[in-house]
């Protein structure tokens, strides 16, 4: 069924996985450098010039490319299969894919040529090749076009099914893409107004403070753009995979609407320590960031309750016995459940980052990569691996190469990430070790850091091995000579309570209006202030690497 | 309205109360204990900031640690790829020091070990925080924002003399 979307999704996932392979390979090299094993000189022959070029590759390919390609592919697939309706404009969705690929190539070439060693945050006035910025912009534009293809399909479905409630997976997928369209207006403005004309030499100066503010307008909701597709799976699919039901479907819908509302007006919690943002606005965003924990706490209860239904249906008894009864031999479930556990640690640690005052202790320290490797590096990425364990066999029409290798992959990721993130968190908290830094040769690095750096490096190596296990399985599946004996269906969880959710949870207008209003209130005055005091004085620096 | 299971309702109420307690603690401690984050000071032209006579950061480096009153100092630190100027600052124990940091090129960071002084240093902006030093010792200040291939060499020291 829906052959066109199968092929399209396969291509999105394939490109994303190639990106993650290259970007991921940089990770263990960084951790080795921190313990004094510097492999970068040896890699100059293959064109890797520095630690920081490798770090740029790591951030761009993992955080921007792998995520965006996987997400657009997965959500398009999920929408079509949830609505049981093919795309209305498949050419539009293919255009999205091609635009994203063109953007990826445009951005990747300067990165590989070492003319864009500015990391994935590209804070001006570090100035990369203009192609880097134009390429990243095209990746975002391509993802918008993919969203439009989804919206048109959803709109057609609503016309064809008047009065029918939108299936949960389709609704959640479309809310995620809608949030992304609004959230990326920040980065689009930064690129099109400030950075691209400046990098092309059309204007002399840039305002770094305003550029940062636009960047973080997108930079926090981007983490929800990464996370919400994982939530689509945790709510909409995992309960089915464990033989349970979705405990409270209406609250699951509410959670997605709350993420639309609250993901964006919180970006200033990344800028608590910025010089020219008034403290009052930082506090407003601090409070809003705290409110953003509510939908995540709702999620924790709802998903655990849904899995408990499954565990008990499978014969689990007692307070915790249902956990043992879960299908731990199913790698798709195991990977996602371990991802949830790691994500819970990441979320709890995130309370620190969000806190207006505690953030001072850990801002830009190793705590931060420790945090986001638990969230995007585990909660998201390990979930996507779990999804790939059923989705790639379905798309390739071939059985998974090895269940056993997949289970090893999930558990090694879990172990490696625990070690690495534990080391990084403590380095940041106790010693203030800076992030994004070649610590192996930093003159101020203390010998007290060594045991923790070794722990993190050990974790990094285990993660590298885990990554290889994943790719072995993917290649083994795609190039297998076997074919599936029976078709794999997308798992779709049924709600425990068959009554449909109330109509206000299936209505777009009030939620979108409230989202826009909240953004205007929380960002409007600050942006007016910064723009009316525009400081376009910084020339570009392109020879610092 | 939505039907919510009583156990789930209790969970929602409980966790929301917990968040309110955390949030209140953060806000109260932020206001009650003299907590500060960087806030707007002034906006400059980074191309001119190191020019003598144009700004305090243009003054000779040895004149940029200024004693305003006994045990009260103001330090004008210029961040650039890849050092801080001055890179070594000496003050007597018990001093209160206000750090005024700006960049003449790209973005940098400034984090002083053992204190709550941690700020982003942007060209065109002034990052300002104050700390009091009651214990003698050597405190590193480290650049924590990527600023090019020499980033990891960028640091300085505050020496609090007994």
């Amino acid at each position: 069924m829906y052959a066109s979307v199968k092929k399209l999704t396969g291509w999105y996932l394939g490109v994303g996985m190639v990106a993650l392979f290259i970007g991921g390979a940089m990770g263990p090299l960084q951790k080795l450098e921190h313990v004094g094993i510097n492999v970068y000189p040896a890699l100059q022959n293959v064109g890797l010039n520095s630690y920081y070029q490798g770090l740029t590759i790591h951030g761009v390919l993992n955080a921007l490319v792998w995520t965006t390609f996987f997400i657009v592919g997965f959500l398009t697939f999920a929408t079509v299969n949830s609505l049981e309706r093919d795309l209305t404009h498949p050419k539009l969705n293919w255009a999205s894919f091609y635009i994203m690929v063109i953007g990826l190539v445009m951005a990747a070439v300067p990165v590989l040529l070492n003319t864009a060693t500015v990391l994935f945050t590209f804070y001006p006035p570090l100035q990369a090749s203009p192609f880097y910025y134009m390429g990243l912009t095209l990746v975002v534009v391509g993802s918008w076009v993919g969203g439009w293809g989804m919206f048109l399909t959803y709109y057609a479905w609503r016309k064809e099914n008047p009065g029918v409630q939108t299936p949960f997976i389709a609704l959640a997928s479309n809310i995620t893409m809608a949030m992304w369209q609004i959230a990326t207006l920040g980065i689009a403005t930064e690129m099109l107004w400030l950075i691209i004309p400046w990098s092309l030499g059309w204007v002399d100066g840039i305002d770094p403070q305003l550029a940062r503010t636009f960047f973080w307008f997108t930079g926090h909701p981007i983490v929800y753009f990464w996370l919400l597709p994982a939530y689509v799976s945790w709510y909409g699919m995992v309960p089915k995979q464990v033989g349970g039901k979705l405990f409270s479907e209406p609250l699951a819908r509410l959670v997605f609407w709350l993420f639309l509302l609250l993901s964006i007006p919180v970006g200033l919690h990344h800028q608590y320590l910025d010089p020219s943002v008034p403290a009052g606005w930082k506090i407003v965003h601090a409070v809003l960031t705290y409110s953003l924990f509510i939908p995540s706490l709702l999620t924790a209860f709802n998903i655990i309750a849904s899995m408990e239904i499954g565990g008990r249906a499978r014969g689990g008894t007692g307070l915790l016995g249902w956990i043992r009864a879960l299908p731990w031999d199913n790698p798709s479930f195991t990977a996602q459940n371990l991802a949830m556990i790691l994500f819970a640690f990441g979320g709890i640690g995130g309370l620190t980052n969000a806190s207006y005052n505690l953030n001072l202790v850990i801002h830009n320290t190793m705590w931060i990569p420790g945090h986001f490797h638990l969230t995007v590096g585990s909660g998201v990425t390990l979930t996507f691996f779990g999804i790939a364990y059923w989705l790639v066999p379905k798309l390739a029409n071939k059985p998974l190469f090895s269940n056993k290798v997949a289970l090893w992959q999930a558990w090694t990721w879990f172990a490696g990430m625990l070690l690495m993130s534990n080391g990084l968190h403590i380095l940041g908290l106790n010693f203030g070790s800076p992030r994004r830094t070649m610590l192996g040769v930093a003159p101020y690095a203390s010998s007290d850091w060594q045991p923790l750096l070794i722990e993190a490096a050990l974790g990094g190596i285990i993660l590298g091995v885990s990554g290889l296990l994943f790719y072995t399985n993917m290649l083994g599946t795609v190039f297998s000579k076997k074919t599936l004996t029976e078709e794999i269906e997308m798992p779709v969880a049924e709600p425990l309570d068959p009554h449909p959710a109330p109509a206000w949870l299936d209505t777009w207008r009030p939620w979108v209006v409230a989202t826009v209003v909240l953004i205007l209130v929380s960002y409007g005055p600050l942006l007016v202030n910064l723009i009316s005091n525009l400081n376009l004085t910084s020339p570009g620096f392109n020879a610092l690497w | 309205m939505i039907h919510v299971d009583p156990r789930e309702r209790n969970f929602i109420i409980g966790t929301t109360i917990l968040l309110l307690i955390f949030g209140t603690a953060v806000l109260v401690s932020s206001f009650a204990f003299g907590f500060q984050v960087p806030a707007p000071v002034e906006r400059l032209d980074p191309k001119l900031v190191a020019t003598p006579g144009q700004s305090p950061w243009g003054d000779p480096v040895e004149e940029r640690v200024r004693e305003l009153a006994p045990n009260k100092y103001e330090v004008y630190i210029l961040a650039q790829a890849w050092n801080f100027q001055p890179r070594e600052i000496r003050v007597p124990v018990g001093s209160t020091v206000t750090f005024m940091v700006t960049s003449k090129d790209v973005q940098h960071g400034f984090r002083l070990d053992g204190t709550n002084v941690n700020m982003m240093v942007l060209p065109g902006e002034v990052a300002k925080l104050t700390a009091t030093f009651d214990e003698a010792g050597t405190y590193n200040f480290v650049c924590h924002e990527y600023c090019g291939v020499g980033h990891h060499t960028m640091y300085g020291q505050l020496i609090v003399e007994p």
Side-chain angles (χ1 to χ4, degrees), chain A residues 52 117 124 212 276 282 357 360 364 437 533 537 544, chain B residues 29 38-39 43 47 107 118 120 125 144 146 149 151-152:
Chain A
Y52 296 105
T117 300
R212 279 175 70 86
S276 283
K282 293 172 179 171
N357 48 5
L360 262 185
N364 263 4
T437 301
N533 293 297
T537 49
L544 289 175
Chain B
S29 65
R43 310 194 87 181
K47 295 190 292 295
Q107 298 193 21
N118 190 352
M120 296 306 305
E125 319 293 335
H144 60 55
Y146 168 70
V149 282
H151 162 56
H152 49 273

PDB file of all heavy atoms in Angstrom, chain A residues 52 117 124 212 276 282 357 360 364 437 533 537 544, chain B residues 29 38-39 43 47 107 118 120 125 144 146 149 151-152:
ATOM      1  N   TYR A  52      38.155  20.814  15.305  1.00  0.00           N
ATOM      2  CA  TYR A  52      36.963  21.660  15.187  1.00  0.00           C
ATOM      3  C   TYR A  52      36.240  21.449  13.860  1.00  0.00           C
ATOM      4  O   TYR A  52      35.025  21.622  13.791  1.00  0.00           O
ATOM      5  CB  TYR A  52      37.340  23.124  15.404  1.00  0.00           C
ATOM      6  CG  TYR A  52      37.863  23.364  16.817  1.00  0.00           C
ATOM      7  CD1 TYR A  52      39.217  23.557  17.058  1.00  0.00           C
ATOM      8  CD2 TYR A  52      37.005  23.337  17.900  1.00  0.00           C
ATOM      9  CE1 TYR A  52      39.694  23.758  18.351  1.00  0.00           C
ATOM     10  CE2 TYR A  52      37.463  23.517  19.197  1.00  0.00           C
ATOM     11  CZ  TYR A  52      38.810  23.724  19.412  1.00  0.00           C
ATOM     12  OH  TYR A  52      39.272  23.900  20.696  1.00  0.00           O
ATOM     13  N   THR A 117      34.164  25.930   9.114  1.00  0.00           N
ATOM     14  CA  THR A 117      34.392  25.348  10.433  1.00  0.00           C
ATOM     15  C   THR A 117      33.866  26.316  11.499  1.00  0.00           C
ATOM     16  O   THR A 117      34.621  26.943  12.236  1.00  0.00           O
ATOM     17  CB  THR A 117      35.879  24.987  10.592  1.00  0.00           C
ATOM     18  OG1 THR A 117      36.185  24.032   9.557  1.00  0.00           O
ATOM     19  CG2 THR A 117      36.175  24.341  11.935  1.00  0.00           C
ATOM     20  N   PRO A 124      27.648  34.167  14.173  1.00  0.00           N
ATOM     21  CA  PRO A 124      28.451  35.235  13.589  1.00  0.00           C
ATOM     22  C   PRO A 124      29.103  36.055  14.711  1.00  0.00           C
ATOM     23  O   PRO A 124      28.571  36.074  15.827  1.00  0.00           O
ATOM     24  CB  PRO A 124      27.417  36.081  12.828  1.00  0.00           C
ATOM     25  CG  PRO A 124      26.085  35.749  13.408  1.00  0.00           C
ATOM     26  CD  PRO A 124      26.205  34.387  14.038  1.00  0.00           C
ATOM     27  N   ARG A 212      21.973  35.901  17.315  1.00  0.00           N
ATOM     28  CA  ARG A 212      21.791  34.849  18.332  1.00  0.00           C
ATOM     29  C   ARG A 212      20.329  34.725  18.746  1.00  0.00           C
ATOM     30  O   ARG A 212      19.827  33.625  18.999  1.00  0.00           O
ATOM     31  CB  ARG A 212      22.611  35.174  19.594  1.00  0.00           C
ATOM     32  CG  ARG A 212      24.063  34.821  19.533  1.00  0.00           C
ATOM     33  CD  ARG A 212      24.768  35.301  20.804  1.00  0.00           C
ATOM     34  NE  ARG A 212      24.392  34.541  21.987  1.00  0.00           N
ATOM     35  CZ  ARG A 212      24.976  33.400  22.369  1.00  0.00           C
ATOM     36  NH1 ARG A 212      25.967  32.902  21.661  1.00  0.00           N
ATOM     37  NH2 ARG A 212      24.581  32.775  23.455  1.00  0.00           N
ATOM     38  N   SER A 276      23.183  41.611  26.021  1.00  0.00           N
ATOM     39  CA  SER A 276      22.224  42.679  25.712  1.00  0.00           C
ATOM     40  C   SER A 276      20.775  42.211  25.634  1.00  0.00           C
ATOM     41  O   SER A 276      19.983  42.746  24.880  1.00  0.00           O
ATOM     42  CB  SER A 276      22.648  43.427  24.449  1.00  0.00           C
ATOM     43  OG  SER A 276      23.714  44.290  24.786  1.00  0.00           O
ATOM     44  N   LYS A 282      14.380  37.453  30.200  1.00  0.00           N
ATOM     45  CA  LYS A 282      14.949  36.141  30.529  1.00  0.00           C
ATOM     46  C   LYS A 282      14.062  35.438  31.551  1.00  0.00           C
ATOM     47  O   LYS A 282      13.820  34.223  31.464  1.00  0.00           O
ATOM     48  CB  LYS A 282      16.369  36.306  31.066  1.00  0.00           C
ATOM     49  CG  LYS A 282      17.358  36.822  30.014  1.00  0.00           C
ATOM     50  CD  LYS A 282      18.717  37.157  30.629  1.00  0.00           C
ATOM     51  CE  LYS A 282      19.690  37.640  29.548  1.00  0.00           C
ATOM     52  NZ  LYS A 282      20.950  38.176  30.115  1.00  0.00           N
ATOM     53  N   ASN A 357      18.865  30.663  37.554  1.00  0.00           N
ATOM     54  CA  ASN A 357      20.090  30.861  38.332  1.00  0.00           C
ATOM     55  C   ASN A 357      21.050  29.663  38.243  1.00  0.00           C
ATOM     56  O   ASN A 357      22.240  29.836  38.065  1.00  0.00           O
ATOM     57  CB  ASN A 357      19.759  31.170  39.797  1.00  0.00           C
ATOM     58  CG  ASN A 357      18.745  30.208  40.375  1.00  0.00           C
ATOM     59  OD1 ASN A 357      18.352  29.249  39.708  1.00  0.00           O
ATOM     60  ND2 ASN A 357      18.311  30.455  41.592  1.00  0.00           N
ATOM     61  N   LEU A 360      23.844  29.292  35.572  1.00  0.00           N
ATOM     62  CA  LEU A 360      25.142  29.959  35.663  1.00  0.00           C
ATOM     63  C   LEU A 360      26.285  28.979  35.908  1.00  0.00           C
ATOM     64  O   LEU A 360      27.404  29.182  35.467  1.00  0.00           O
ATOM     65  CB  LEU A 360      25.129  30.921  36.856  1.00  0.00           C
ATOM     66  CG  LEU A 360      24.849  32.385  36.610  1.00  0.00           C
ATOM     67  CD1 LEU A 360      25.017  33.146  37.891  1.00  0.00           C
ATOM     68  CD2 LEU A 360      25.795  32.934  35.567  1.00  0.00           C
ATOM     69  N   ASN A 364      27.457  26.432  29.033  1.00  0.00           N
ATOM     70  CA  ASN A 364      28.582  26.176  28.120  1.00  0.00           C
ATOM     71  C   ASN A 364      29.682  25.306  28.727  1.00  0.00           C
ATOM     72  O   ASN A 364      30.832  25.365  28.302  1.00  0.00           O
ATOM     73  CB  ASN A 364      29.182  27.493  27.605  1.00  0.00           C
ATOM     74  CG  ASN A 364      28.624  27.845  26.240  1.00  0.00           C
ATOM     75  OD1 ASN A 364      27.745  27.158  25.724  1.00  0.00           O
ATOM     76  ND2 ASN A 364      29.140  28.899  25.640  1.00  0.00           N
ATOM     77  N   THR A 437      35.568  22.016  23.099  1.00  0.00           N
ATOM     78  CA  THR A 437      36.943  22.446  23.309  1.00  0.00           C
ATOM     79  C   THR A 437      37.875  21.243  23.218  1.00  0.00           C
ATOM     80  O   THR A 437      37.539  20.162  23.690  1.00  0.00           O
ATOM     81  CB  THR A 437      37.071  23.117  24.700  1.00  0.00           C
ATOM     82  OG1 THR A 437      36.177  24.221  24.749  1.00  0.00           O
ATOM     83  CG2 THR A 437      38.470  23.588  24.966  1.00  0.00           C
ATOM     84  N   ASN A 533      17.592  49.181  17.816  1.00  0.00           N
ATOM     85  CA  ASN A 533      18.959  49.562  18.184  1.00  0.00           C
ATOM     86  C   ASN A 533      19.974  48.725  17.403  1.00  0.00           C
ATOM     87  O   ASN A 533      21.004  48.319  17.943  1.00  0.00           O
ATOM     88  CB  ASN A 533      19.196  49.339  19.679  1.00  0.00           C
ATOM     89  CG  ASN A 533      18.373  50.274  20.518  1.00  0.00           C
ATOM     90  OD1 ASN A 533      18.548  51.480  20.449  1.00  0.00           O
ATOM     91  ND2 ASN A 533      17.437  49.726  21.267  1.00  0.00           N
ATOM     92  N   THR A 537      27.720  46.138  13.174  1.00  0.00           N
ATOM     93  CA  THR A 537      29.101  46.635  13.163  1.00  0.00           C
ATOM     94  C   THR A 537      30.148  45.543  13.014  1.00  0.00           C
ATOM     95  O   THR A 537      31.311  45.853  12.798  1.00  0.00           O
ATOM     96  CB  THR A 537      29.396  47.380  14.477  1.00  0.00           C
ATOM     97  OG1 THR A 537      28.974  46.575  15.558  1.00  0.00           O
ATOM     98  CG2 THR A 537      28.690  48.725  14.515  1.00  0.00           C
ATOM     99  N   LEU A 544      39.986  32.074  11.004  1.00  0.00           N
ATOM    100  CA  LEU A 544      40.376  31.699  12.368  1.00  0.00           C
ATOM    101  C   LEU A 544      40.487  30.181  12.534  1.00  0.00           C
ATOM    102  O   LEU A 544      40.670  29.694  13.627  1.00  0.00           O
ATOM    103  CB  LEU A 544      39.365  32.262  13.368  1.00  0.00           C
ATOM    104  CG  LEU A 544      39.405  33.786  13.568  1.00  0.00           C
ATOM    105  CD1 LEU A 544      38.282  34.241  14.483  1.00  0.00           C
ATOM    106  CD2 LEU A 544      40.748  34.228  14.146  1.00  0.00           C
TER     107      LEU A 544
ATOM    108  N   SER B  29      15.214  32.741  45.032  1.00  0.00           N
ATOM    109  CA  SER B  29      16.667  32.784  45.243  1.00  0.00           C
ATOM    110  C   SER B  29      17.321  33.762  44.264  1.00  0.00           C
ATOM    111  O   SER B  29      18.326  34.375  44.577  1.00  0.00           O
ATOM    112  CB  SER B  29      17.278  31.396  45.124  1.00  0.00           C
ATOM    113  OG  SER B  29      17.126  30.926  43.808  1.00  0.00           O
ATOM    114  N   PRO B  38      24.027  38.726  33.265  1.00  0.00           N
ATOM    115  CA  PRO B  38      24.410  39.896  32.475  1.00  0.00           C
ATOM    116  C   PRO B  38      23.152  40.599  31.951  1.00  0.00           C
ATOM    117  O   PRO B  38      22.173  39.954  31.604  1.00  0.00           O
ATOM    118  CB  PRO B  38      25.218  39.298  31.314  1.00  0.00           C
ATOM    119  CG  PRO B  38      25.705  37.979  31.826  1.00  0.00           C
ATOM    120  CD  PRO B  38      24.636  37.489  32.747  1.00  0.00           C
ATOM    121  N   ALA B  39      23.196  41.912  31.928  1.00  0.00           N
ATOM    122  CA  ALA B  39      22.073  42.702  31.425  1.00  0.00           C
ATOM    123  C   ALA B  39      22.649  43.842  30.586  1.00  0.00           C
ATOM    124  O   ALA B  39      23.840  44.137  30.681  1.00  0.00           O
ATOM    125  CB  ALA B  39      21.263  43.241  32.597  1.00  0.00           C
ATOM    126  N   ARG B  43      26.118  49.394  23.816  1.00  0.00           N
ATOM    127  CA  ARG B  43      26.498  48.731  22.571  1.00  0.00           C
ATOM    128  C   ARG B  43      27.625  49.547  21.930  1.00  0.00           C
ATOM    129  O   ARG B  43      27.608  50.777  21.943  1.00  0.00           O
ATOM    130  CB  ARG B  43      25.290  48.616  21.625  1.00  0.00           C
ATOM    131  CG  ARG B  43      24.071  48.039  22.334  1.00  0.00           C
ATOM    132  CD  ARG B  43      22.997  47.615  21.366  1.00  0.00           C
ATOM    133  NE  ARG B  43      23.223  46.252  20.919  1.00  0.00           N
ATOM    134  CZ  ARG B  43      22.431  45.624  20.038  1.00  0.00           C
ATOM    135  NH1 ARG B  43      21.414  46.247  19.500  1.00  0.00           N
ATOM    136  NH2 ARG B  43      22.669  44.384  19.690  1.00  0.00           N
ATOM    137  N   LYS B  47      35.004  47.325  15.959  1.00  0.00           N
ATOM    138  CA  LYS B  47      36.171  47.706  15.149  1.00  0.00           C
ATOM    139  C   LYS B  47      36.976  48.809  15.847  1.00  0.00           C
ATOM    140  O   LYS B  47      38.153  48.970  15.597  1.00  0.00           O
ATOM    141  CB  LYS B  47      35.711  48.206  13.768  1.00  0.00           C
ATOM    142  CG  LYS B  47      35.048  47.117  12.926  1.00  0.00           C
ATOM    143  CD  LYS B  47      34.814  47.553  11.491  1.00  0.00           C
ATOM    144  CE  LYS B  47      33.773  48.639  11.331  1.00  0.00           C
ATOM    145  NZ  LYS B  47      32.392  48.264  11.711  1.00  0.00           N
ATOM    146  N   GLN B 107      32.616  35.830  18.816  1.00  0.00           N
ATOM    147  CA  GLN B 107      32.022  35.563  20.122  1.00  0.00           C
ATOM    148  C   GLN B 107      32.975  34.738  20.971  1.00  0.00           C
ATOM    149  O   GLN B 107      33.646  33.829  20.477  1.00  0.00           O
ATOM    150  CB  GLN B 107      30.697  34.810  19.958  1.00  0.00           C
ATOM    151  CG  GLN B 107      29.673  35.608  19.182  1.00  0.00           C
ATOM    152  CD  GLN B 107      28.265  35.030  19.269  1.00  0.00           C
ATOM    153  OE1 GLN B 107      27.933  34.287  20.177  1.00  0.00           O
ATOM    154  NE2 GLN B 107      27.443  35.386  18.303  1.00  0.00           N
ATOM    155  N   ASN B 118      29.848  34.007  34.896  1.00  0.00           N
ATOM    156  CA  ASN B 118      29.791  33.199  33.682  1.00  0.00           C
ATOM    157  C   ASN B 118      28.988  34.006  32.680  1.00  0.00           C
ATOM    158  O   ASN B 118      27.847  34.375  32.963  1.00  0.00           O
ATOM    159  CB  ASN B 118      29.106  31.855  33.990  1.00  0.00           C
ATOM    160  CG  ASN B 118      29.219  30.869  32.835  1.00  0.00           C
ATOM    161  OD1 ASN B 118      29.672  31.230  31.754  1.00  0.00           O
ATOM    162  ND2 ASN B 118      28.807  29.632  33.072  1.00  0.00           N
ATOM    163  N   MET B 120      28.417  35.286  28.259  1.00  0.00           N
ATOM    164  CA  MET B 120      28.762  35.293  26.848  1.00  0.00           C
ATOM    165  C   MET B 120      29.408  36.642  26.543  1.00  0.00           C
ATOM    166  O   MET B 120      28.948  37.677  27.023  1.00  0.00           O
ATOM    167  CB  MET B 120      27.514  35.128  25.980  1.00  0.00           C
ATOM    168  CG  MET B 120      26.785  33.808  26.149  1.00  0.00           C
ATOM    169  SD  MET B 120      27.836  32.363  25.913  1.00  0.00           S
ATOM    170  CE  MET B 120      28.506  32.662  24.275  1.00  0.00           C
ATOM    171  N   GLU B 125      28.989  44.264  22.375  1.00  0.00           N
ATOM    172  CA  GLU B 125      28.208  44.276  23.612  1.00  0.00           C
ATOM    173  C   GLU B 125      29.174  44.218  24.796  1.00  0.00           C
ATOM    174  O   GLU B 125      30.288  43.718  24.679  1.00  0.00           O
ATOM    175  CB  GLU B 125      27.266  43.066  23.693  1.00  0.00           C
ATOM    176  CG  GLU B 125      26.558  42.698  22.405  1.00  0.00           C
ATOM    177  CD  GLU B 125      25.545  43.732  21.949  1.00  0.00           C
ATOM    178  OE1 GLU B 125      25.029  44.483  22.802  1.00  0.00           O
ATOM    179  OE2 GLU B 125      25.278  43.792  20.731  1.00  0.00           O
ATOM    180  N   HIS B 144      34.694  29.845  26.904  1.00  0.00           N
ATOM    181  CA  HIS B 144      33.869  28.645  26.722  1.00  0.00           C
ATOM    182  C   HIS B 144      33.002  28.697  25.470  1.00  0.00           C
ATOM    183  O   HIS B 144      32.062  27.922  25.335  1.00  0.00           O
ATOM    184  CB  HIS B 144      33.019  28.358  27.964  1.00  0.00           C
ATOM    185  CG  HIS B 144      32.063  29.465  28.332  1.00  0.00           C
ATOM    186  ND1 HIS B 144      31.148  29.973  27.448  1.00  0.00           N
ATOM    187  CD2 HIS B 144      31.894  30.141  29.491  1.00  0.00           C
ATOM    188  CE1 HIS B 144      30.438  30.915  28.062  1.00  0.00           C
ATOM    189  NE2 HIS B 144      30.880  31.044  29.295  1.00  0.00           N
ATOM    190  N   TYR B 146      33.328  28.480  21.270  1.00  0.00           N
ATOM    191  CA  TYR B 146      34.235  28.206  20.159  1.00  0.00           C
ATOM    192  C   TYR B 146      34.554  29.496  19.407  1.00  0.00           C
ATOM    193  O   TYR B 146      33.650  30.231  19.008  1.00  0.00           O
ATOM    194  CB  TYR B 146      33.594  27.182  19.225  1.00  0.00           C
ATOM    195  CG  TYR B 146      34.327  27.055  17.912  1.00  0.00           C
ATOM    196  CD1 TYR B 146      35.583  26.471  17.860  1.00  0.00           C
ATOM    197  CD2 TYR B 146      33.782  27.535  16.733  1.00  0.00           C
ATOM    198  CE1 TYR B 146      36.267  26.364  16.663  1.00  0.00           C
ATOM    199  CE2 TYR B 146      34.448  27.425  15.530  1.00  0.00           C
ATOM    200  CZ  TYR B 146      35.693  26.840  15.507  1.00  0.00           C
ATOM    201  OH  TYR B 146      36.367  26.743  14.324  1.00  0.00           O
ATOM    202  N   VAL B 149      40.480  27.790  15.797  1.00  0.00           N
ATOM    203  CA  VAL B 149      41.312  26.624  16.126  1.00  0.00           C
ATOM    204  C   VAL B 149      42.178  26.797  17.361  1.00  0.00           C
ATOM    205  O   VAL B 149      42.720  25.826  17.863  1.00  0.00           O
ATOM    206  CB  VAL B 149      42.255  26.187  14.975  1.00  0.00           C
ATOM    207  CG1 VAL B 149      41.513  25.416  13.933  1.00  0.00           C
ATOM    208  CG2 VAL B 149      43.000  27.360  14.400  1.00  0.00           C
ATOM    209  N   HIS B 151      40.971  28.077  20.187  1.00  0.00           N
ATOM    210  CA  HIS B 151      40.007  28.294  21.281  1.00  0.00           C
ATOM    211  C   HIS B 151      40.453  27.689  22.612  1.00  0.00           C
ATOM    212  O   HIS B 151      40.342  28.323  23.663  1.00  0.00           O
ATOM    213  CB  HIS B 151      38.646  27.718  20.846  1.00  0.00           C
ATOM    214  CG  HIS B 151      37.691  27.466  21.947  1.00  0.00           C
ATOM    215  ND1 HIS B 151      37.303  28.449  22.827  1.00  0.00           N
ATOM    216  CD2 HIS B 151      37.043  26.338  22.329  1.00  0.00           C
ATOM    217  CE1 HIS B 151      36.444  27.933  23.692  1.00  0.00           C
ATOM    218  NE2 HIS B 151      36.285  26.656  23.419  1.00  0.00           N
ATOM    219  N   HIS B 152      40.997  26.467  22.554  1.00  0.00           N
ATOM    220  CA  HIS B 152      41.338  25.775  23.798  1.00  0.00           C
ATOM    221  C   HIS B 152      42.540  26.380  24.514  1.00  0.00           C
ATOM    222  O   HIS B 152      42.855  25.977  25.616  1.00  0.00           O
ATOM    223  CB  HIS B 152      41.586  24.296  23.502  1.00  0.00           C
ATOM    224  CG  HIS B 152      42.522  24.093  22.350  1.00  0.00           C
ATOM    225  ND1 HIS B 152      42.066  24.042  21.046  1.00  0.00           N
ATOM    226  CD2 HIS B 152      43.862  23.975  22.294  1.00  0.00           C
ATOM    227  CE1 HIS B 152      43.110  23.887  20.233  1.00  0.00           C
ATOM    228  NE2 HIS B 152      44.200  23.841  20.962  1.00  0.00           N
TER     229      HIS B 152
END
